[in-house]
Amino acid sequence: MDAQRARSILDEELVRGRDAIAAATSFEELEAAKSSVLGRRSAFSEVQRALGSFEHEDRKVLGAAANDVRNALRSAVQERASELEAADEERLLDADRVDMTLPGRRPRSGSMHPLAIVERRIVEVFTRMGYRVVEGPQIEDDWHNFEALNIPPDHPARTMKDSLYVDVQGLVLRTETSAAQIRTMEAQAPPVYIVSPGRVYRHETPDATHLPVFHQVECLAVDEGITFADLKGTLEAFSRAMFGGDRRVRLNPDYFPFVEPGAQVAVSCFICDGAGCRTCGNGWIELLGAGMVHPKVLENCGYDSERYTGFAFGLGIERVAMLQYAVPDMRMFGDGDVRFLEQFEGVA
Ligand code: FA5
């Protein structure tokens, strides 16, 4: 390479380098442009390496020219880097910009489950009448779930068909909230006025009006001089508070080992108003079992059955909720379908 050639390379590389640096649109491209004009394998470096072979005068002039070219290109790189940095920052700011005129994003909030709403309402009707709320365990022992409730070992309610046993000797998923009656009476002296809501379990095939896991509210009143009239009056007060005046209530004699006499209480169907339809069958929806507490149950809990009498009933929360919200199939409560559940938003 002669001095003249070196000169023209320096001139060309200055122009080419400036163009390449200006054309870089990212830091990667800028780095590539820089190494192509100033890197070890660039034409510029070749000129530098050739300097040593030139005459003294040429070396001086070309050395100075090479320095100028390198300085010019380096400052071009720096300038372009600051431009790219500024552009980057601008982009970030743009992306982060908050449009104050946009409407806010409302966070999705859940709502009370219809069964929770109904349970709360039922319990409220009773607490307003002076009842206390108690809760019992869902896993019960034989005594509280059966024996103390006057359900002897050979009673059909004990067979594997109806009950779900826990794999521990003598323990069962409670089949009714009535077990809470026993726990309450064992723990306190009369008078007793309690409601006890909760989940119960039975070996049952689900259909429109039955579930294997459902909810009940137990009601128990034990005091001196309580009669069947008190039970009927309480049931009527409850039905009026829950369903209004236009639903009819029916009491039929029924058998439960822990009451005497016992009754099955039904409310006229909300769909057919008592005529009979697919949901109710015969026009009535059975809501609860009720009766006068069996003297043996009182004695089992250490109460004097000569002095004290009482009534009890246990009602199904799902059945009440069906009546209240005209739900045709009980299984809908457990499906977890948001389209169903969100209809209850704002109800409670
Ligand atoms: C009982 O469970 C008694 N412990 C009620 C009772 C309490 C009687 C106190 C006397 C004194 P029964 O099995 O009928 O009774 O159930 C009571 C209510 O629970 C029924 O009327 C119904 O509303 C509801 N129920 C019963 N089985 C189911 C089921 N499989 N799915 C949904 N609800 C049910």
Side-chain angles (χ1 to χ4, degrees):
M1 182 188 304
D2 60 15
Q4 208 178 349
R5 175 78 190 117
R7 173 87 243 175
S8 64
I9 288 177
L10 287 179
D11 290 344
E12 282 163 24
E13 284 301 288
L14 180 61
V15 174
R16 188 181 75 81
R18 277 192 168 137
D19 287 349
I21 288 162
T25 58
S26 66
F27 287 102
E28 291 75 28
E29 283 178 25
L30 183 60
E31 201 48 47
K34 185 180 164 192
S35 89
S36 93
V37 285
L38 294 174
R40 274 195 305 124
R41 266 181 256 151
S42 62
F44 173 82
S45 290
E46 238 171 81
V47 170
Q48 270 196 319
R49 281 193 292 274
L51 285 178
S53 60
F54 296 154
E55 294 290 320
H56 177 72
E57 197 50 31
D58 285 339
R59 189 159 65 215
K60 227 170 100 186
V61 174
L62 284 169
N67 272 345
D68 289 347
V69 167
R70 187 177 44 236
N71 290 340
L73 290 176
R74 278 192 177 155
S75 58
V77 166
Q78 236 156 37
E79 216 169 285
R80 186 65 190 141
S82 335
E83 281 171 16
L84 288 174
E85 218 163 284
D88 256 11
E89 199 143 318
E90 189 71 20
R91 244 195 314 277
L92 273 176
L93 279 175
D94 247 4
D96 273 358
R97 185 156 293 148
V98 176
D99 181 350
M100 305 296 272
T101 65
L102 279 175
R105 268 184 231 130
R106 187 188 290 270
R108 270 178 74 96
S109 61
S111 54
M112 285 263 284
H113 191 279
L115 294 179
I117 297 172
V118 169
E119 179 184 298
R120 193 187 266 190
R121 279 197 190 147
I122 295 169
V123 167
E124 231 176 68
V125 171
F126 288 105
T127 50
R128 267 192 263 128
M129 293 197 272
Y131 284 70
R132 188 166 63 87
V133 183
V134 303
E135 274 183 85
Q138 292 181 33
I139 299 176
E140 264 301 359
D141 55 38
D142 193 85
W143 169 254
H144 293 94
N145 199 77
F146 297 123
E147 196 83 36
L149 285 167
N150 199 26
I151 304 174
D154 56 354
H155 193 277
R158 284 198 173 215
T159 65
M160 292 302 284
K161 183 169 165 282
D162 298 315
S163 311
L164 298 163
Y165 285 87
V166 178
D167 203 7
V168 175
Q169 189 71 40
L171 293 185
V172 64
L173 293 177
R174 68 174 175 193
T175 51
E176 46 211 322
T177 43
S178 300
Q181 290 185 30
I182 307 300
R183 289 193 175 271
T184 305
M185 289 192 281
E186 281 175 341
Q188 70 157 93
V192 171
Y193 291 90
I194 57 120
V195 274
S196 184
R199 189 170 291 167
V200 299
Y201 305 82
R202 290 184 194 178
H203 193 284
E204 193 129 27
T205 307
D207 64 27
T209 51
H210 294 86
L211 294 176
V213 179
F214 60 102
H215 300 80
Q216 289 186 336
V217 176
E218 190 82 7
C219 174
L220 172 71
V222 180
D223 208 337
E224 286 182 76
I226 290 201
T227 69
F228 200 88
D230 295 314
L231 167 61
K232 215 175 154 214
T234 306
L235 286 174
E236 270 167 13
F238 165 72
S239 302
R240 273 200 295 274
M242 284 307 286
F243 309 114
D246 54 343
R247 296 258 76 80
R248 281 160 295 139
V249 178
R250 186 189 70 177
L251 270 85
N252 275 353
D254 201 357
Y255 170 74
F256 297 98
F258 35 91
V259 289
E260 183 56 39
Q264 186 63 246
V265 182
V267 173
S268 57
C269 174
F270 61 92
I271 292 178
C272 62
D273 198 27
C277 69
R278 226 178 43 176
T279 295
C280 62
N282 62 0
W284 296 91
I285 295 188
E286 278 179 8
L287 215 55
L288 60 99
M292 300 305 291
V293 182
H294 198 293
K296 218 166 154 208
V297 174
L298 295 173
E299 300 289 340
N300 282 341
C301 301
Y303 282 19
D304 179 355
S305 64
E306 294 292 326
R307 183 171 167 198
Y308 294 102
T309 51
F311 66 75
F313 55 86
L315 64 99
I317 296 180
E318 280 80 358
R319 300 270 172 91
V320 176
M322 284 177 85
L323 277 162
Q324 195 120 70
Y325 298 123
V327 175
D329 193 315
M330 197 180 275
R331 287 166 290 197
M332 294 166 89
F333 292 120
D335 282 347
D337 188 333
V338 175
R339 290 166 303 177
F340 172 70
L341 295 173
E342 68 190 1
Q343 295 178 54
F344 298 92
E345 213 172 301
V347 173

